[in-house]
Amino acid sequence: MAKNPLRVLVTGAAGQIGYALVPMIARGIMLGPDQPVILHMLDIEPAAEALNGVKMELIDAAFPLLKGVVATTDVVEACKDVNIAVMVGGFPRKEGMERKDVMSKNVSIYKAQASALEKHAAPNCKVLVVANPANTNALILKEFAPSIPAKNITCLTRLDHNRAMGQISERLKVHVSDVKNVIIWGNHSSTQYPDVNHATVTTSKGEKPVREAVADDNWLNTEFITTVQQRGAAIIKARKLSSALSAASSACDHIRDWVLGTPKGTWVSMGVYSDGSYGIPEGLIYSFPVTCEKGEWSIVKGLKVDEFSRAKMDATAEELAEEKTLAYSCLN
Ligand code: NAD
Ligand code: LMR
């Protein structure tokens, strides 16, 4: 029997990530090839004409799974009955800025849109915040939408996770799908900690730890980490625009795995509300390794954390605590 359509909200849909993301959703890349969708696209008044242009293109592309398009600048109409909300709306950083430099512009958007989602989205709506500073925007959304369960509000660190796998695959000259179980701990910022201590690679001789396969701890503990931490800045430098196709694709990966489940024996990284696991304070949206089943994520427990990792995991948690204070000062 044909499935009922799911309503998927994309905010900032006239922007560059939005333009890459909406056709992926309409093609079934986010929710599967048998899941019809109705796209809700929100942007602000100055982008209304461009947004309508995106709607025209969606119609012209004749996507079999796309059962309807709502293109609006009205946040209430945009949020009405949505099952999935991908929050991309906001301002991107420019060359030379840190992601938290866009804080004052973006957190107020998340405070305002929290209430609309809380009041008008479908019960159990799953929320993914992409706009930067992603963890702190997600936290503000959570705090100003207290009736949405904390477990339903997440932020995107899957792009960093995919970048880490990409760097290992380039180094080992293996396909990226042969690398698994890297972890991004913490903030989607330059303090994030890409950790390969539990990652493996599959070669013709079977599965082995990434550390053993790379056989260069110095590279793994220095250049690999900074390359992943600074990849967003490197893309901005090269394109004069921040990442878009990789961000859109990773957002699809995030929602797909959350809704449809992670493959057996594999975890992914998601920014989620900390329950105190690994000594990370509650009250922060922090990226952890998670597995997903039946539409629910759970933090992978019991991984061994060495001294090097501990220091890096704590440093990125401290930055998130500082961002939280800064966010509240911007809202006051
Ligand atoms: P963009 O400027 O091309 O698009 C953003 C869109 O948001 C614009 O169309 C703008 O009009 C719209 N917008 C602004 N305020 C809004 C509001 N209140 N409601 C709805 N829409 C609003 O930017 P982009 O390159 O698409 O990036 C979007 C965001 O995603 C930025 O904050 C960027 O830093 C972030 N980002 C995050 C990741 C990640 O991995 N978490 C990756 C890439 C980009
Ligand atoms: C990214 O990681 O590419 C995005 O967060 C954009 C940025 O500002 O780095």
Side-chain angles (χ1 to χ4, degrees):
M1 208 176 67
K3 290 182 171 175
N4 288 329
L6 288 176
R7 292 180 182 269
V8 184
L9 167 65
V10 177
T11 72
Q16 42 145 12
I17 296 177
Y19 192 71
L21 179 60
V22 290
M24 292 182 189
I25 299 172
R27 274 211 175 274
I29 290 169
M30 177 178 275
L31 291 164
D34 60 345
Q35 177 59 63
V37 291
I38 297 173
L39 268 167
H40 287 221
M41 304 193 296
L42 175 71
D43 214 294
I44 49 176
E45 206 46 53
E49 200 179 345
L51 185 67
N52 195 42
V54 179
K55 178 176 178 179
M56 288 157 67
E57 286 206 67
L58 285 169
I59 293 166
D60 295 350
F63 294 110
L65 287 172
L66 187 59
K67 302 300 177 193
V69 183
V70 176
T72 181
T73 56
D74 174 359
V75 67
V76 170
E77 187 187 4
C79 292
K80 189 95 193 81
D81 298 333
V82 295
N83 307 100
I84 310 276
V86 188
M87 312 298 285
V88 186
F91 297 90
R93 66 168 164 162
K94 303 269 159 35
E95 206 171 336
M97 292 164 83
E98 284 294 325
R99 295 181 184 105
K100 61 186 163 203
D101 295 337
V102 291
M103 174 93 69
S104 62
K105 284 184 161 186
N106 286 351
V107 281
S108 53
I109 298 176
Y110 284 82
K111 179 182 171 187
Q113 294 184 352
S115 324
L117 271 178
E118 183 175 44
K119 288 198 195 100
H120 303 287
N124 211 26
C125 173
K126 289 180 160 58
V127 182
L128 166 62
V129 177
V130 175
N132 283 314
N135 302 54
T136 299
N137 286 339
L139 183 68
I140 293 301
L141 195 155
K142 184 213 152 286
E143 303 221 337
F144 288 91
S147 70
I148 302 182
K151 68 177 173 42
N152 286 24
I153 297 174
T154 64
C155 83
L156 188 70
T157 55
R158 182 61 175 270
L159 174 56
D160 310 287
H161 182 102
N162 289 345
R163 285 169 171 165
M165 293 200 306
Q167 289 303 308
I168 299 295
S169 104
E170 292 280 294
R171 173 82 181 197
L172 293 175
K173 301 192 171 39
V174 297
H175 192 264
V176 71
S177 57
D178 292 327
V179 182
K180 68 173 189 182
N181 295 349
V182 299
I183 302 170
I184 303 298
W185 298 100
N187 198 0
H188 172 64
S189 78
S190 52
T191 67
Q192 67 178 265
Y193 171 43
D195 175 1
V196 294
N197 288 334
H198 310 277
T200 61
V201 55
T202 305
T203 65
S204 53
K205 295 188 194 103
E207 198 170 276
K208 41 158 120 161
V210 160
R211 276 208 182 268
E212 200 179 297
V214 170
D216 185 348
D217 281 343
N218 183 43
W219 180 79
L220 284 171
N221 293 347
T222 58
E223 201 182 321
F224 162 73
I225 293 177
T226 48
T227 301
V228 177
Q229 287 173 333
Q230 297 294 339
R231 189 67 160 185
I235 305 281
I236 293 171
K237 189 159 186 289
R239 273 181 19 98
K240 312 293 173 230
L241 285 170
S242 61
S243 63
L245 84 86
S246 54
S249 179
S250 301
C252 290
D253 289 344
H254 176 114
I255 297 285
R256 188 198 58 236
D257 287 345
W258 188 2
V259 173
L260 300 176
T262 41
K264 207 171 163 8
T266 304
W267 63 64
V268 294
S269 302
M270 278 169 73
V272 299
Y273 194 65
S274 174
D275 61 356
S277 293
Y278 296 99
I280 301 305
E282 290 178 37
L284 299 177
I285 301 258
Y286 187 97
S287 179
F288 287 98
V290 300
T291 54
C292 305
E293 204 184 342
K294 300 195 178 100
E296 305 267 333
W297 54 263
S298 358
I299 295 173
V300 176
K301 299 284 163 91
L303 296 173
K304 216 166 144 254
V305 172
D306 64 17
E307 229 174 278
F308 179 87
S309 299
R310 184 76 257 164
K312 294 209 168 316
M313 288 159 67
D314 290 343
T316 189
E318 271 162 37
E319 184 189 44
L320 280 169
E322 284 161 20
E323 278 193 18
K324 183 176 179 178
T325 309
L326 184 61
Y328 273 99
S329 73
C330 293
L331 292 175
N332 288 331

